[in-house]
Amino acid sequence: MDILGIIEKMLKGIEVKLNCDFFDGREKYENIAKKIIFTGQIDKYYNYRFGELEYRGLKFETDILNEENYQGNAVVNYTEYEIPYTRIIEHKHFEYGMQNKTIITKEYPNDWDKEKEPYYPINDDKNNNLYKKYKQLSEKDHKVLFGGRLGQYKYYDMDKIIEEALGCVNKEMP
Ligand SMILES: Cc1cc2nc3c(=O)[nH]c(=O)nc-3n(C[C@H](O)[C@H](O)[C@H](O)COP(=O)(O)OP(=O)(O)OC[C@H]3O[C@@H](n4cnc5c(N)ncnc54)[C@H](O)[C@@H]3O)c2cc1C
């Protein structure tokens, strides 16, 4: 079974709505169940009452190249100071693509403000202390569980976030 099949099976019998912003229908979503899992920004959920958490932004530059193969691999990271991008993704290699052309995306570090996508939390003392205040507030809030990189203000790799989600389910529904 491929990944889509696994996800379809997991969601069987569950109503799924896509492209809905929680904050555009907050009252409705908060009352949809006795307890909700929120995977958005915890500071936004609490209307930034203690202040705003900061994130690292990213900028993407995508090119179609007239060659079969650019880098021979899906992801190559660049850590050199002189190179402005941090990695190059060559999409066809995720799926063993055999096309004549190839598409690459360069990822550049970028500033962040509230209008932009929050990519990585900045886990320095200032932001961690602010997050602690939101976490303490959330612990008294028994109607909502905060999950994931935005809800818990923490970087997770894919395998770790799945482990965390399964741990959460086991705790909530032993
Ligand atoms: C740029 C980047 C590169 C990465 N590269 C790797 C990698 O190479 N390998 C690896 O293992 N991991 C990588 N990760 C980490 C991986 O993406 C995360 O582990 C994973 O996505 C975390 O899952 P999550 O559920 O916490 O967050 P997300 O996947 O971000 O899910 C949160 C969900 O909540 C939804 N949401 C948020 N706010 C709202 C709202 N207001 N209303 C409705 N819905 C909302 C979002 O739409 C999203 O679907 C990378 C992360 C980033 C940002």
Side-chain angles (χ1 to χ4, degrees):
M1 187 181 291
D2 65 9
I3 187 72
L4 278 179
I6 294 172
I7 291 180
E8 270 167 17
K9 213 169 159 191
M10 283 167 67
L11 294 175
K12 203 169 173 201
I14 297 173
E15 185 189 358
V16 178
K17 289 190 182 177
L18 300 173
N19 301 316
C20 310
D21 189 333
F22 173 83
F23 298 107
D24 289 340
R26 179 169 191 147
E27 211 173 307
K28 181 176 70 181
Y29 298 126
E30 275 179 329
N31 291 306
I32 217 162
K34 280 193 206 135
K35 199 169 227 181
I36 62 165
I37 298 171
F38 184 74
T39 57
Q41 292 164 256
I42 190 168
D43 55 343
K44 190 168 181 187
Y45 182 92
Y46 289 117
N47 291 318
Y48 306 106
R49 75 172 71 170
F50 302 126
E52 292 172 17
L53 290 166
E54 295 170 308
Y55 297 85
R56 268 185 242 289
L58 282 178
K59 195 175 69 179
F60 300 98
E61 203 180 85
T62 297
D63 288 305
I64 303 175
L65 307 180
N66 282 320
E67 55 187 294
E68 247 180 69
N69 177 37
Y70 178 73
Q71 61 186 16
N73 209 320
V75 185
V76 175
N77 291 329
Y78 292 84
T79 53
E80 296 96 319
Y81 179 76
E82 301 75 30
I83 298 184
Y85 40 83
T86 50
R87 66 180 181 180
I88 299 182
I89 305 290
E90 187 170 7
H91 302 269
K92 73 190 309 181
H93 294 308
F94 286 112
E95 304 254 351
Y96 307 102
M98 304 296 284
Q99 301 84 351
N100 297 331
K101 296 185 182 187
T102 192
I103 300 176
I104 61 164
T105 302
K106 290 180 179 157
E107 288 184 17
Y108 295 83
N110 200 10
D111 297 339
W112 181 81
D113 62 52
K114 278 201 287 181
E115 305 311 311
K116 295 183 186 152
E117 177 81 25
Y119 286 104
Y120 301 109
I122 298 179
N123 289 113
D124 58 8
D125 287 350
K126 179 181 143 203
N127 285 287
N128 285 344
N129 287 335
L130 181 55
Y131 168 67
K132 252 187 228 161
K133 292 186 185 174
Y134 285 111
K135 183 166 164 42
Q136 281 163 0
L137 181 63
S138 74
E139 281 162 359
K140 295 183 209 133
D141 200 341
H142 300 295
K143 261 194 77 94
V144 57
L145 286 170
F146 290 90
R149 65 187 180 97
L150 302 174
Q152 297 177 352
Y153 198 64
K154 182 176 173 185
Y155 179 80
Y156 282 107
D157 269 327
M158 295 293 277
D159 57 322
K160 296 293 174 208
I161 196 62
I162 291 170
E163 188 181 22
E164 173 70 19
L166 292 174
C168 173
V169 171
N170 286 335
K171 198 168 148 213
E172 285 298 305
M173 295 187 277

